[in-house]
Amino acid sequence: MAQCVTKVELTVSCENLLDKDVGSKSDPLCVLLMSNASDQWYEVGRTERVQNCLAPKFAKKFLIDYYFELMQKLKFAVYDIDNKTIDLGDDDFLGELECTLGQVVSTRKLTRPLVLKNKKPAGKGTITICAEEIKDNRVANFEVEARKLDNKDFFGKSDPYLEFYKQTETGWQLAHRTEVVNNNLNPTWKPFRIPLQSLCGGDMDKPIKVECYDYDNDGSHDLIGNFETNMTRLQEAKHGSPAEFECVNSKKKQKKKNYKNSGVVSVKLCQVVKEYTFLDYIMGGCQINFTVGVDFTGSNGDPRSPDSLHYISPNGVNEYLTAIWSVGQVIQDYDSDKMFPAFGFGAQVPPTWQVSHEFPLNFNPSNPFCTGIEGVVEAYRACLPQVKLYGPTNFSPIINHQAQFATQALQQTTASQYFVLLIITDGVITDLDQTRSAIVNASRLPMSIIIVGVGGADFSAMEFLDGDNGHLRAPTGEVAVRDIVQFVPFRNFQNSPKEALAQSVLAEIPGQVVNFFNMLKLSPPNNPAQKAPGQSGQS
């Protein structure tokens, strides 16, 4: 396997995008695709959507492994997003750029015209990609509020948000945007974190610009004021003695003689901490435990019939098997014993023919483990003819089952184990409320859930569980501490190479692992820096 040379962070912005919206401006989002060995495109990630803007600067970055010896083809595709679905097929296409990572890295800042699918120019639209090598894993944690901000709204009060900019050789680059606090001239923003690399390139004295805006739905956000500072000054902020900055609006200053400021931004806390990377945890002895859950409900169709989702084709595959293989093959490298528990749900199980929502595929409750991904596949094939497909489609039993193990691992108070549950299902969940509660509970545990939807069902409930558009809530109103569910419809990958599905569903796992252990301030089990003499690390 080629060795990754370094991690590269890509920042994207666009100018002069096509306007596809009547009565307002396009709401662009950029998708990054990469091509694999068989020259097929798979999605790496998406930026946020910027409302009513034809010249967006995207705050969300793409982090890529840069392989010096590979030609890594990239495609940046820009869409005007007008609905809540994950699928981009129903959104207006604003243009794309194909290039290689080598081109971006060698220029550090690549600006090119966007083209349409027929390769004709997308109006005057251009895209700019800036590349930066990530060498610094320090992060600044911020707590920020403001007071007496100018009111920019005729009705109600300003809706302020902040933008933090890093100084680069080519000008200011957006590093972070806070949420909007509605109707408040004395806002307190939620605590947030900015990697030092994104904010100041790790240089504590490099200028940082902070701009305060009043949010407007039509995209014409009003500047309340701004100030410049640096990390050295920001780090003086401690609980009890904040670092305070006057927010100045230069236009107002020129017009008004006795103008002082447009409000004060108060940094209550700015604390720099080192964050471990996913590879720090993996190399430091953290095991990823992989469990499979397979949907045996009646809606899949009789496994003996060729139109059933459980029908095994003459060449030995179906969507369930493909999903198990492609995801399992990647994950098994991170699990040293390669023993994987595998369960079925929603079937009547011999000998009593009771409906079960978590039966071992090998029918051995005291040892539900299969040897390697091959073992899971064999257990699935052997189990199919022995069970009767039934219902309902209940997810919560299998999620709660996995959560018990994650709870036990958490009691060790080390970052030694993390659990990934792969659920493959043909559709509509029956116990949605219980499943929501189970996921909210699991969000406090070292676990992630991947749901692969097979067949052509309506997967809107799944997209709702994938908390990408905001955090999931339990029916009690309790909010998930973090987003741990990744859902993908298998049909999006039917014509893709086998690795594309795995790359898409596993893309968020490293971040979820790091986020969880950092949240609990747990360092890697075999962290040389932490180890006292004579102490052995955990395997």
Side-chain angles (χ1 to χ4, degrees):
M1 184 63 199
Q3 287 301 301
C4 170
V5 173
T6 182
K7 287 208 176 300
V8 173
E9 186 180 72
L10 303 179
T11 304
V12 181
S13 58
C14 301
E15 296 276 339
N16 302 314
L17 291 177
L18 292 170
D19 197 354
K20 294 284 190 175
D21 286 1
V22 182
S24 66
K25 300 192 187 91
S26 294
D27 306 321
L29 165 152
C30 180
V31 182
L32 171 60
L33 304 149
M34 284 183 83
S35 118
N36 64 7
S38 19
D39 274 349
Q40 303 209 262
W41 295 102
Y42 63 90
E43 185 177 317
V44 174
R46 304 179 180 193
T47 64
E48 77 279 16
R49 161 183 161 215
V50 178
Q51 262 180 302
N52 284 314
C53 186
L54 301 181
K57 296 181 176 74
F58 298 105
K60 190 172 171 191
K61 323 276 185 188
F62 298 117
L63 194 59
I64 299 186
D65 286 339
Y66 167 61
Y67 293 96
F68 179 71
E69 55 286 321
L70 295 183
M71 181 167 143
Q72 290 172 279
K73 286 192 201 157
L74 308 178
K75 187 191 286 182
F76 296 88
V78 184
Y79 290 87
D80 171 22
I81 303 293
D82 288 320
N83 55 40
K84 289 265 167 61
T85 62
I86 293 177
D87 190 16
L88 295 167
D90 50 9
D91 296 300
D92 289 317
F93 177 65
L94 302 179
E96 65 186 18
L97 166 71
E98 273 189 46
C99 61
T100 67
L101 186 53
Q103 285 170 323
V104 182
V105 170
S106 57
T107 54
R108 283 191 47 202
K109 183 176 182 179
L110 183 78
T111 301
R112 291 276 191 276
L114 288 164
V115 296
L116 299 170
K117 298 285 185 199
N118 59 10
K119 302 298 177 219
K120 292 208 165 90
K124 294 184 177 154
T126 61
I127 186 166
T128 298
I129 299 120
C130 297
E132 238 180 297
E133 183 181 354
I134 297 296
K135 300 192 188 96
D136 190 334
N137 57 354
R138 288 174 301 163
V139 175
N141 290 324
F142 283 94
E143 290 176 25
V144 182
E145 57 189 24
R147 61 178 183 272
K148 297 186 179 164
L149 293 176
D150 280 0
N151 196 5
K152 297 284 187 180
D153 291 354
F154 291 119
F155 306 105
K157 301 186 178 114
S158 296
D159 307 311
Y161 67 93
L162 298 176
E163 290 188 339
F164 285 70
Y165 285 86
K166 164 190 188 171
Q167 193 183 50
T168 69
E169 291 156 21
T170 51
W172 294 101
Q173 185 176 302
L174 178 64
H176 184 81
R177 184 185 292 125
T178 67
E179 84 278 14
V180 176
V181 177
N182 286 324
N183 208 23
N184 197 330
L185 302 180
N186 301 294
T188 298
W189 289 279
K190 290 179 191 147
F192 55 92
R193 51 187 282 285
I194 312 177
L196 278 196
Q197 189 68 32
S198 307
L199 186 58
C200 61
D203 176 351
M204 296 303 195
D205 296 318
K206 195 187 200 82
I208 293 166
K209 183 165 74 165
V210 181
E211 298 189 332
C212 183
Y213 286 93
D214 168 32
Y215 178 86
D216 281 314
N217 267 333
D218 64 3
S220 62
H221 315 303
D222 298 311
L223 179 70
I224 294 174
N226 60 28
F227 61 89
E228 279 187 36
T229 181
N230 58 36
M231 276 305 298
T232 306
R233 171 84 181 87
L234 286 167
Q235 271 191 284
E236 292 168 9
K238 303 266 188 310
H239 281 305
S241 68
E244 308 229 302
F245 302 92
E246 291 190 38
C247 224
V248 174
N249 186 319
S250 50
K251 283 187 183 160
K252 274 185 106 170
K253 196 175 180 178
Q254 284 165 358
K255 285 183 191 160
K256 290 188 174 175
K257 276 216 167 92
N258 56 355
Y259 172 83
K260 277 181 73 178
N261 60 47
S262 294
V264 173
V265 171
S266 175
V267 179
K268 294 189 293 182
L269 182 71
C270 170
Q271 192 178 31
V272 174
V273 294
K274 177 182 183 296
E275 281 203 343
Y276 292 104
T277 63
F278 177 63
L279 285 177
D280 285 336
Y281 284 108
I282 294 302
M283 291 173 176
C286 178
Q287 290 291 317
I288 306 280
N289 300 287
F290 180 51
T291 303
V292 180
V294 177
D295 179 340
F296 286 100
T297 54
S299 48
N300 283 281
D302 182 345
R304 291 167 300 194
S305 155
D307 53 10
S308 163
L309 291 164
H310 279 298
Y311 176 73
I312 297 180
S313 70
N315 57 358
V317 294
N318 63 24
E319 293 186 11
Y320 281 92
L321 283 169
T322 307
I324 293 169
W325 262 122
S326 56
V327 177
Q329 277 184 307
V330 176
I331 279 197
Q332 68 179 351
D333 291 342
Y334 299 100
D335 187 321
S336 58
D337 68 4
K338 314 238 181 307
M339 297 298 288
F340 305 117
F343 298 93
F345 58 92
Q348 292 177 315
V349 182
T352 60
W353 304 107
Q354 290 288 103
V355 175
S356 171
H357 295 294
E358 43 156 327
F359 61 91
L361 291 189
N362 63 6
F363 299 112
N364 182 351
S366 61
N367 183 7
F369 293 90
C370 305
T371 308
I373 297 307
E374 296 88 346
V376 178
V377 167
E378 282 163 27
Y380 166 77
R381 287 169 183 253
C383 165
L384 255 184
Q386 300 184 60
V387 297
K388 289 183 185 160
L389 272 56
Y390 207 71
T393 308
N394 289 352
F395 276 21
S396 59
I398 199 161
I399 295 173
N400 290 330
H401 178 93
Q402 180 83 76
Q404 288 174 336
F405 292 99
T407 304
Q408 288 166 5
L410 192 56
Q411 287 160 359
Q412 301 170 8
T413 61
T414 63
S416 56
Q417 298 199 60
Y418 195 91
F419 294 81
V420 176
L421 172 62
L422 168 66
I423 298 176
I424 313 169
T425 178
D426 78 327
V428 186
I429 302 184
T430 317
D431 65 337
L432 189 59
D433 281 358
Q434 292 90 325
T435 295
R436 281 164 57 196
S437 297
I439 292 170
V440 169
N441 169 47
S443 72
R444 292 188 177 70
L445 299 171
M447 72 180 269
S448 294
I449 301 165
I450 295 164
I451 304 174
V452 175
V454 295
D458 169 16
F459 289 128
S460 49
M462 307 293 180
E463 297 188 357
F464 160 72
L465 294 176
D466 184 341
D468 285 351
N469 297 331
H471 282 306
L472 180 73
R473 285 177 185 271
T476 57
E478 195 183 352
V479 184
V481 186
R482 53 196 191 98
D483 176 16
I484 62 164
V485 177
Q486 174 73 342
F487 167 74
V488 298
F490 187 89
R491 53 179 176 249
N492 291 6
F493 295 89
Q494 258 164 331
N495 304 317
S496 309
K498 56 186 182 309
E499 58 268 31
L501 174 70
Q503 272 161 324
S504 176
V505 293
L506 296 173
E508 294 185 12
I509 300 286
Q512 290 171 1
V513 171
V514 167
N515 173 315
F516 178 77
F517 290 133
N518 278 326
M519 187 171 83
L520 293 187
K521 301 188 169 48
L522 292 175
S523 53
N526 306 335
N527 175 21
Q530 305 288 97
K531 217 188 279 184
Q535 227 186 316
S536 69
Q538 267 186 294
S539 61

